[in-house]
């Protein structure tokens, strides 16, 4: 019998409403309800919504993941518990991955470590269970298929969602942890990734409470029946056909001249062989877009990779797409406004004697996606390569997985590689940041695996061969949201472990001295282009800029110039080095900023230095009104320099200001008031002020030049 996750201190249930949806305006839904309503994936998120990550990683660029003091611990709270997650809402924690059960990991040293979840202002955790039992799924309702413990107890995964209205803190507690922390123990093999969403302030989200949830059974059924459409198929209409395709012939398997949404694509190919699998293309056209939204071989689009990967005879079966020798399917919801066309083109040298297709679609009478609030489904195949695997000397220290401009959200990353060492981290830069907003701790972990990766076939993640060969991860409820641009990279560090390790990572047809990668990325993109406008820049520490922005600083502690790097790559220690003047203060900093009066909210981005001050909290005031969510930064701090690598450096922090404080104004006064920090001060070096907007208005010429 499964144990109950909650204590007797918390009882009751959450009753959520459901209805048949025809045309709905976007509203934020979270947790199990959002997971159940797969048809809502095309909806654009409200301005200020973003994906975030708490992670144990090495910001110096080295491979020091999981050093207990240096990278695993965020801080020790007043109760003596080790904090690994500390975020203000409204938000929802969707994904948890942890590696602590091997070698020097604390989970190997102690079976009594407990994981605790504190919501909002609670002093008693709503979840308090042994950490291994939590990830193993021993406590209802956090059970399979939402959880998985690796069979060799190397890592655990949890996809059970935890919405939080105001605040969520996750800690680890054990006498061993207390002792190791006091002793300064700093061995490796402890790491985690916690991915979560945050929403605009004022969004109404109920924090997780134990009790029945009507959507839990729906999601369990979806996840336990991969290969069938997880969406409601009521009212679907279908177009089916069977044709012969000679070489260089194409056929239209779906076409519509009026608004609707494609809900499923299912095809079969005879003969099914290397020629037809790798050289038959799928092309999808929406409305009046200049280019096809999808244009790639069916092998890549449905999860089988390219001819070098040799996965023809394999199969995969995820929640939203997959393939085997009899069928290739996808269930991405794909709305369009006026017209659509799905084409299959035989680019092989062999005749396809039987191409069967079945395309499901929803008329607007069944589900009418609002034009202004939904985006087009798109997919991109990106290839990158670099010489220098054995020497570990690359022209650039990363391979590019995906680049895009505009507004949208990334839903799937599927990776194929040769001579790529999985210790390379993910570096995802979003909306003109100099630091990665999402940083990984090893590519296999970014695909929900560990220790080089293995073959898995889970609803939202898995791999056909390993953690970097045929690995896929569907970011269904924690997508990468971008309002201006996105650049997903994976770090180059091939050859780190020498020839035997690298030989295992070979790819037939790829020269051993070349690191080669291919990525299939599926995403939704708005028709209306970029949404962020750089409205103002404030160079704090610069007298003329301070005067221009009517800057007031009380309690100044320090001012001066620093030369630091942002998060560095393994083969480039000083990546993105910047010299800047700044100040620190223990009372407040106040300044005026120009914004676009037609804004839908404002993003404030600040360059800070994280050295010895990794936990910082302050109040934010806009025109004298204090906002509910604090200025809250939790980064590394007090970490000693290791050889030629430093964990100190620049960090870009973002604060989202709701439109109720900014709409209709062309200037606002921003005040940052110190509450607490490790050094009893906050520091700032540069501010960027962005306005969210739908229509682009020519910006003020005096404030549009980006510093450095």
């Amino acid at each position: 019998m499964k144990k109950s996750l909650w204590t007797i201190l918390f009882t009751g249930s959450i009753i959520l409403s459901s209805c048949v949806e025809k045309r709905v305006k976007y509203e934020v839904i979270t947790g199990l309800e959002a997971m159940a309503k797969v048809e809502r994936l095309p909806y654009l998120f409200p301005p200020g919504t973003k994906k975030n990550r708490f992670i144990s990683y090495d910001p110096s660029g080295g491979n020091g993941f999981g050093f207990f003091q240096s990278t695993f611990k965020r801080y020790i709270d007043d109760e003596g518990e080790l904090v690994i997650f500390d975020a203000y809402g409204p938000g929802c924690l969707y994904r948890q991955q942890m590696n602590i059960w091997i070698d020097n990991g604390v989970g190997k040293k102690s079976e009594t470590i407990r994981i605790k979840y504190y919501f909002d202002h609670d002093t008693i955790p709503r979840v308090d269970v042994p950490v291994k039992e939590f990830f193993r799924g021993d406590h209802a309702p956090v059970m399979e298929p939402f959880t998985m413990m690796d069979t060799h107890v190397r890592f655990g995964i949890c996809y059970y969602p935890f919405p939080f209205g105001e605040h969520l803190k996750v800690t680890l507690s054990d006498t061993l942890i207390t002792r190791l922390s006091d002793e300064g123990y700093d061995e490796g093999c402890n790491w985690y990734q916690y991915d979560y969403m945050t929403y605009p302030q004022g969004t109404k989200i109920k924090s997780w409470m134990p009790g029945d949830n009507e959507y839990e059974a729906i999601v369990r059924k979806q996840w336990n029946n991969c290969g069938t459409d997880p969406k409601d198929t009521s009212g679907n209409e279908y177009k089916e056909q069977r044709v012969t395709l000679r070489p260089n012939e194409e056929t239209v398997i779906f076409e519509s001249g009026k608004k609707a949404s494609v809900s499923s694509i299912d095809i079969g190919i005879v003969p099914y062989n290397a020629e037809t699998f790798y050289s038959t293309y799928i092309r999808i056209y929406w409305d009046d877009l200049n280019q096809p939204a999808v244009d790639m071989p069916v092998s890549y689009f449905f999860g089988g990779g390219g001819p070098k990967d040799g996965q023809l005879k394999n199969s995969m079966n995820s929640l939203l797409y997959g393939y085997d020798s009899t069928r290739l399917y996808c269930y991405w919801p794909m709305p369009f406004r006026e017209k659509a066309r799905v084409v299959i083109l035989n680019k092989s040298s062999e005749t396809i004697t039987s191409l069967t297709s079945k395309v499901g679609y929803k008329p607007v009478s069944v589900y009418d996606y609002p034009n202004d609030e939904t985006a087009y489904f798109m997919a991109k195949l990106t290839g990158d390569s670099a010489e220098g695997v054995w020497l570990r000397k690359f022209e650039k220290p990363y391979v590019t997985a995906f680049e895009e401009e505009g507004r949208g959200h990334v839903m799937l990353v599927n990776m194929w590689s040769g001579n790529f060492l999985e210790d390379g981290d993910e570096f995802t830069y979003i909306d003109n940041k100099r630091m990665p907003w999402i940083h990984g701790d090893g590519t296999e972990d970014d695909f929900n695996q560990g220790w080089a990766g293995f073959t898995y076939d889970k609803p939202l993640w898995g791999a056909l061969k390993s953690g970097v060969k045929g690995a896929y991860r569907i970011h269904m409820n924690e997508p990468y949201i971008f309002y201006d641009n996105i650049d997903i990279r994976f770090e180059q560090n091939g050859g780190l472990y020498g020839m035997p390790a690298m030989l295992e990572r070979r790819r037939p047809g790829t020269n051993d001295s070349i690191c080669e990668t291919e990525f299939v990325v599926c995403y939704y993109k708005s028709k209306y282009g970029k949404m962020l406008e750089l409205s103002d820049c404030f160079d704090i520490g610069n007298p003329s800029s301070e005067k221009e922005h009517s800057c007031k600083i009380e309690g100044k502690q320090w001012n001066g110039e620093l030369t630091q790097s942002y998060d560095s790559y393994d083969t480039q220690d000083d990546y993105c080095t910047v010299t800047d003047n700044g100040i620190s203060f223990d009372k407040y900093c106040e300044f005026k900023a120009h914004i676009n009066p037609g804004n839908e909210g404002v993003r404030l981005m600040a360059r800070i230095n994280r050295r010895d001050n990794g936990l910082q909290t302050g109040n934010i005031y806009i025109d004298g009104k204090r906002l509910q969510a604090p200025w809250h930064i939790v980064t590394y701090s007090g970490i000693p320099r290791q050889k030629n690598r430093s964990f100190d450096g620049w960090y870009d922090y973002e604060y989202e200001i709701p439109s109720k404080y900014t709409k209709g104004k062309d200037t606002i006064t921003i005040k940052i008031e110190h509450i607490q920090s490790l050094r009893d001060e906050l520091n700032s070096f540069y501010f960027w002020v962005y306005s969210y907007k739908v229509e682009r208005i020519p910006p003020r010429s005096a404030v549009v030049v980006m510093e450095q």
Side-chain angles (χ1 to χ4, degrees), residues 3-68:
K3 305 173 186 177
S4 173
L5 180 62
W6 48 83
T7 68
I8 60 174
L9 295 171
F10 295 95
T11 59
S13 62
I14 303 173
I15 305 298
L16 300 172
S17 63
S18 65
C19 61
V20 177
E21 295 178 293
K22 289 187 178 180
R23 182 179 178 90
V24 292
K25 289 184 69 65
Y26 184 83
E27 60 177 323
V28 173
I29 57 174
T30 60
L32 290 164
E33 181 180 6
M35 294 168 72
K37 295 182 177 180
V38 179
E39 67 275 6
R40 296 179 70 90
L41 295 184
Y43 280 83
L44 293 163
F45 291 88
T49 307
K50 61 178 55 173
K51 174 192 178 101
N52 313 269
R53 177 177 290 175
F54 267 85
I55 180 174
S56 170
Y57 78 97
D58 183 348
S60 75
N63 200 36
F65 313 105
F67 286 124
F68 185 72

Side-chain angles (χ1 to χ4, degrees), residues 186-203:
D186 200 28
E187 294 293 326
C189 296
N190 307 277
W191 62 86
Y192 53 84
Q193 292 190 15
Y194 274 42
D195 284 8
Y196 65 106
M197 299 289 289
T198 50
Y199 308 95
Q201 292 183 52
T203 303

Side-chain angles (χ1 to χ4, degrees), residues 427-576:
F427 283 67
T428 294
Y429 300 85
I430 299 176
D431 297 338
N432 300 304
K433 295 182 186 65
R434 292 160 178 77
M435 65 166 283
W437 187 247
I438 301 295
H439 193 141
D441 62 2
T443 306
E444 76 274 41
D445 294 292
D446 299 315
F447 287 96
N448 274 342
Q449 303 195 34
W451 307 99
F454 305 91
T455 56
Y456 293 97
D457 197 5
K458 300 294 182 180
L460 298 186
W461 62 275
L464 293 180
K465 196 167 183 181
S466 76
V468 293
K469 289 189 172 185
Y472 65 91
R473 180 169 158 205
I474 300 173
H475 300 257
M476 191 174 78
N477 296 108
E478 25 82 34
Y480 300 83
I481 300 173
F482 57 98
Y483 298 96
D484 189 283
N485 60 76
I486 184 170
D487 184 349
I488 302 177
R489 308 172 181 176
F490 286 86
E491 180 182 40
Q492 292 264 34
N493 61 2
L496 181 64
Y497 295 139
M499 184 173 291
M502 293 310 299
L503 290 179
E504 295 178 4
R505 290 147 181 85
R506 278 178 165 171
R507 191 185 199 196
T510 299
N511 188 296
D512 287 345
S513 67
I514 296 175
C515 174
E516 187 175 61
T517 59
E518 290 181 309
F519 294 87
V520 175
V521 174
C522 295
Y523 60 109
Y524 289 96
K525 183 179 175 182
S526 170
K527 179 181 181 178
Y528 299 108
K530 299 180 178 182
M531 194 179 188
L532 272 183
E533 171 192 86
L534 179 62
S535 302
D536 205 350
C537 295
F538 172 33
D539 185 5
I540 195 164
N542 181 311
S544 62
S545 187
E546 289 185 0
K547 181 179 179 180
E548 179 186 351
H549 292 87
S550 304
C551 178
K552 297 178 183 178
I553 300 172
E554 288 290 333
K556 182 184 290 187
Q557 298 295 300
W558 173 91
N559 68 280
E561 181 180 273
L562 290 178
T563 298
Q564 297 282 348
S565 298
Y566 284 91
D567 288 358
S568 294
Y569 292 88
D570 187 29
T571 55
Q572 189 171 336
D573 297 350
D574 57 350
Y575 184 80
C576 199

Side-chain angles (χ1 to χ4, degrees), residues 245-249 271 273-280 345-352:
L245 275 186
R246 296 181 178 86
N248 295 316
E249 280 191 340
N273 56 34
E275 264 295 298
T276 58
F277 186 53
Y278 298 122
S279 298
T280 300
L345 169 63
N346 181 8
K347 284 191 174 184
S348 77
S349 60
E350 189 165 339
T351 296
I352 299 175

Side-chain angles (χ1 to χ4, degrees), residues 677-690:
S677 59
L678 295 182
R679 292 169 57 92
D680 292 325
E681 64 184 27
L682 304 180
N683 69 70
S684 297
F685 288 78
Y686 205 92
F687 291 98
W688 295 264
V689 183
Y690 293 92

